[in-house]
Amino acid sequence: MTEPQTVQWFPGHMAKTRRQIEKSLALVDAAVELADARIPVSSRNPELAGMLANKPRILLLNKCDMADPAVTSQWLRAYQAQDLRALPVDCRSGKGLREWRGEISALLADRLAACRAKGMVGKPLRLLVVGIPNVGKSSFINRVCGGARAKVEDRPGVTRGNQWFRVDATLELLDTPGVLWPKFEDAVVGQHLAFTGAVTDRVVDVEWLALCLLETLSAHYMPLLTARYGVEPAAPDALLCEIGRRRGMVVRGGEVDTERAANMLLSEYRDGKLGAITLERP
Ligand code: G4P
């Protein structure tokens, strides 16, 4: 196996986004954080918890259609133990999104009651939608805004580029200002983000990445590898060769084109063809 690689990270970008998010938080009642249900740790920026500490928030475990349902349930129990409201959702199909409005009402029940008591009715609730790139923020906004994204006019005093969307008369969403970078410095986080395609694999060696993926999959999901490729348990490099050989990726001299096999494995994993897989456990 080649040397571990890390993905380059630029702290400057994070500092700017942190400032933008902190400003935006003053404009909203609560935050909706999206994470990738396949990698609930690596797809959440750890700095966000601090930034959102004083806001009611809800966590949406998105792409749950591609995650292992048993592990998703474990995550939900873990969040419940931490008093964090979390919901599994699939923003591509809309599954799970029927429940989220109820969760928001429950989350903001005190605030809504206080507003009613003061006779302040009719003011829409405002929510900040946050998450790292590719986690499904646009899909979520599109889904809950009913297809045609109803963009609200630019508001004075709001950073240019802040995007407001109207769900209905009672609810408005603000898209993450800036780019909330994932936490790349941790090698495993970088790897998991590259497995799912959240970061481009142009920045890492594809064969190395595929070997890392095989190491993880053979530990937890060997039956899925066997079902898809007909391979038996073996070391990652032997598995990659066997997968390539079984797919006819043999070059002159009878050698397996492992780069091609690696690309195929990663792309089939990302397309969910191997099955429902979660790479991180509570
Ligand atoms: P972002 O705004 O946070 O950057 O993410 P975006 O909504 O653009 O979603 C990134 C990719 O993830 C999109 O795929 C989107 O379709 C997919 N996606 C979002 N939510 C889900 C989900 O719950 N399940 C699954 N399986 N996929 C989801 P894409 O390949 O970039 O585009 P496309 O295939 O939709 O054209």
Side-chain angles (χ1 to χ4, degrees), residues 62-63 65-66 90-92 132-139:
N62 191 34
K63 309 197 185 186
D65 53 307
M66 299 212 276
D90 166 358
C91 290
R92 194 175 253 178
I132 64 165
N134 254 319
V135 75
K137 297 177 299 298
S138 310
S139 307

Side-chain angles (χ1 to χ4, degrees), residues 12-31:
H13 289 167
M14 188 60 219
K16 185 170 172 222
T17 302
R18 190 197 305 114
R19 283 195 301 275
Q20 290 174 320
I21 289 179
E22 279 165 356
K23 263 194 199 161
S24 302
L25 279 170
L27 309 171
V28 297
D29 301 293

Side-chain angles (χ1 to χ4, degrees), residues 10-28 45 47-48 50-52 128 130 157-160 162 174-181:
F10 307 100
H13 289 167
M14 188 60 219
K16 185 170 172 222
T17 302
R18 190 197 305 114
R19 283 195 301 275
Q20 290 174 320
I21 289 179
E22 279 165 356
K23 263 194 199 161
S24 302
L25 279 170
L27 309 171
V28 297
N45 184 300
E47 281 198 40
L48 198 57
M51 285 183 255
L52 301 181
L128 179 65
V130 277
V158 176
T159 324
R160 257 173 79 95
N162 264 6
L174 174 58
D175 200 1
T176 309
V179 180
L180 183 68
W181 294 91

Side-chain angles (χ1 to χ4, degrees), residues 37-155:
R38 298 169 297 173
I39 47 169
V41 178
S42 301
S43 62
R44 292 179 74 194
N45 184 300
E47 281 198 40
L48 198 57
M51 285 183 255
L52 301 181
N54 298 320
K55 278 284 164 191
R57 68 179 157 141
I58 178 173
L59 177 68
L60 300 182
L61 282 184
N62 191 34
K63 309 197 185 186
C64 71
D65 53 307
M66 299 212 276
D68 184 337
V71 186
T72 300
S73 300
Q74 289 174 19
W75 277 109
L76 294 175
R77 280 196 296 276
Y79 296 132
Q80 201 175 19
Q82 295 165 25
D83 248 351
L84 173 61
R85 276 178 197 273
L87 268 185
V89 294
D90 166 358
C91 290
R92 194 175 253 178
S93 75
K95 206 170 146 238
L97 283 176
R98 212 175 297 162
E99 288 85 8
W100 88 282
R101 282 296 288 269
E103 286 290 329
I104 291 294
S105 303
L107 184 71
L108 295 171
D110 290 350
R111 193 190 169 280
L112 288 167
C115 286
R116 270 195 302 272
K118 286 188 214 153
M120 285 166 59
V121 284
K123 192 170 164 260
L125 285 176
R126 291 185 182 151
L127 309 177
L128 179 65
V129 178
V130 277
I132 64 165
N134 254 319
V135 75
K137 297 177 299 298
S138 310
S139 307
F140 168 71
I141 293 171
N142 281 338
R143 272 275 156 202
V144 300
C145 290
R149 278 162 54 135
K151 203 174 155 196
V152 182
E153 78 290 350
D154 279 346
R155 296 224 163 91

